Amino acid sequence: MYELHTPVDTKAVAKYMGYYLIAFTFVLIVPMIAALLFSNIEAAIYYGATAVAAFGLGSIIYRTLPEYELETKEALVIVALVFPVSAFLSAIPMSLSTGMTLFDAYFESVSAVTTTGLSVAPADVGPVFLFARSWGQWVGGIGIILVVLSVLISPGTTAYRIYKANYGDMKIKPTVISTTRTLGKVYIVITLVSIILLLLSGMSLFDSICHAFCCVSTGGFSTQASSIGAYQGNLIPAAISISCLLGAVSFVLYPYLLKKPEKFFRNKELRYFLALIAIGSVLFAFTLSKENFGYNVIKDNLFQIISAVTTAGFSTFDLSILSEASKAVLIFMMWIGGNMGSTAGGIKVFRVLLLFKVVHNVLLRLFLPKENITPMKIEEHVIESDEIYNLVTFMLLYTLILVVSAFIFMLHGIDTSSSVFEVSSALSTVGLSAGTTSAAMPFVLKAVLIIDMLFGRIEIIPLILIFMPGTWFKRKRTNKRMVKI
């Protein structure tokens, strides 16, 4: 079996990473323009120089190497490399323009491109930093891969494999190129809707743009140190909640809103997602009622549940004051997350439905003959055996990473509930913090959260692939002689 294993073609991976570097140049130009608008020439130079360097390197790679047809394993490796490399390129000008250490800037950049929202940034870092961070989340939400597919890569097998590695099998158009362009249009439209909602609710234009970027990408970075708690009244939290919900619903459903609205509202995953919010709100309200502080039913209770389950990560109050029971409800919401095909993180509602379907089938088969076939189906989607294997593998790895990461936190003196809360927030790309994540946090714990955020955004298996020797090197064949006894 091992003799049949072939590693990835490193030249093919390099070729498409060259495409990516060219595309990422345009991502870096936007904060450069923002820096010029804010008269921060120094920051503009740093972002501009990084953009030029990325474009130059990408162009050299692109022109030097011939065209390649990608295999699935190579597409997975490219998707796994894109996010940590994007974070590194973003961290360089961020560190130079703010005075943050490169490692802290990398933490911030990883939190941005993975749409997490955990932060170790100091106070008063300036509007350019706040915009660049929000912009990073918006780009990370839809994925730089979509930009590469939409603009640079021609239709074909390679485009399909890159798309599948990042978005799975969901398609709303005949080709993946037309699908990515439609998804991009949907993303832009709901971003504009979010900006309008926030402006109407009383936010400034700058805050509206930054928060809209982070809402639709379900990222959670805020321009205010106390997040949404800095704003008075219920209008802004309501606008934020609606925007986060728009980002956490599968983008595949949106085109049906105009053509077949009944298909949108009858979607099983969406209905269970909304039911989960209702149940979570009741449970959270029950736990909050037992605590010794006043809270607003809409602004604190419903808002915080929506923020957790959409994996947006905004907050209206200091979560470190919550009881163990209240933290447990939020942890459970963060674990589940939003819909497949959305910008939300977490396990996803579809996987939870599939898991319950598997359990139901196992129990059902106890009462049926062994030769009886019991197919599994969620709406029109027939569940294949490969999907079940992938689900079991994902759940096992997710649990293992969660336990190991939380244990490392506990070794550094963090209590159990806070350790699980912080790690769950990173692994589900949420961004809520119980007060543990800060600039003063030990290097090891920052590194753990960085790895967890990458695992959460890339969905574990592709990231593991790049660290497996067999991905890059062919295993040497060993000749074994058979000895007769």
Side-chain angles (χ1 to χ4, degrees), residues 31 41 52 59 65 71 127 144 162 195 201-202 217 225 231 270 313 316 321 385 387 408 458:
I41 305 303
V52 169
S59 298
L65 297 172
E71 299 292 336
I144 188 67
I162 291 178
I195 292 173
S201 66
S217 65
Y231 300 98
L270 177 59
T316 55
I321 64 175
S385 57
E387 290 182 76
I408 294 172
I458 304 170

Side-chain angles (χ1 to χ4, degrees), residues 423-441:
V423 167
S424 298
S425 183
L427 190 55
S428 294
T429 66
V430 181
L432 292 175
S433 176
T436 303
T437 302
S438 68
M441 190 167 58

Side-chain angles (χ1 to χ4, degrees), residues 2 61 78 110 145 224 254 276 282-283 302 324 329 336 340 390 398 421:
Y2 285 107
I61 296 171
I78 289 168
V110 168
I145 293 296
Q224 306 296 324
Y254 282 113
L276 179 66
V282 172
L283 288 174
L302 183 59
E324 305 292 292
V329 174
I336 295 178
M340 294 289 283
N390 290 338
Y398 187 95
F421 191 97

Side-chain angles (χ1 to χ4, degrees), residues 413-426:
I414 312 297
D415 64 87
T416 304
S417 65
S418 295
S419 296
V420 174
F421 191 97
E422 223 72 11
V423 167
S424 298
S425 183

Side-chain angles (χ1 to χ4, degrees), residues 15-24 26-27 67-71 74-76 78-79 82-83 139 142-171 175-185 457:
K15 173 72 175 183
Y16 287 93
M17 287 302 291
Y19 275 121
Y20 145 74
L21 287 172
I22 293 171
F24 198 75
F26 300 101
V27 175
E67 293 292 333
Y68 290 91
E69 196 72 53
L70 288 183
E71 299 292 336
E74 288 151 1
L76 287 170
I78 289 168
V79 169
V82 159
F83 289 95
V139 172
I142 195 62
I144 188 67
I145 293 296
L146 185 142
V147 177
V148 174
L149 285 172
S150 301
V151 180
L152 298 176
I153 296 182
S154 302
T157 306
T158 292
Y160 170 74
R161 284 174 175 161
I162 291 178
Y163 175 90
K164 186 175 180 180
N166 202 55
Y167 300 105
D169 290 317
M170 63 171 194
K171 281 202 300 183
T175 67
V176 296
I177 300 297
S178 57
T179 295
T180 54
R181 288 173 182 167
T182 301
L183 291 175
K185 290 174 185 175
R457 180 61 179 86

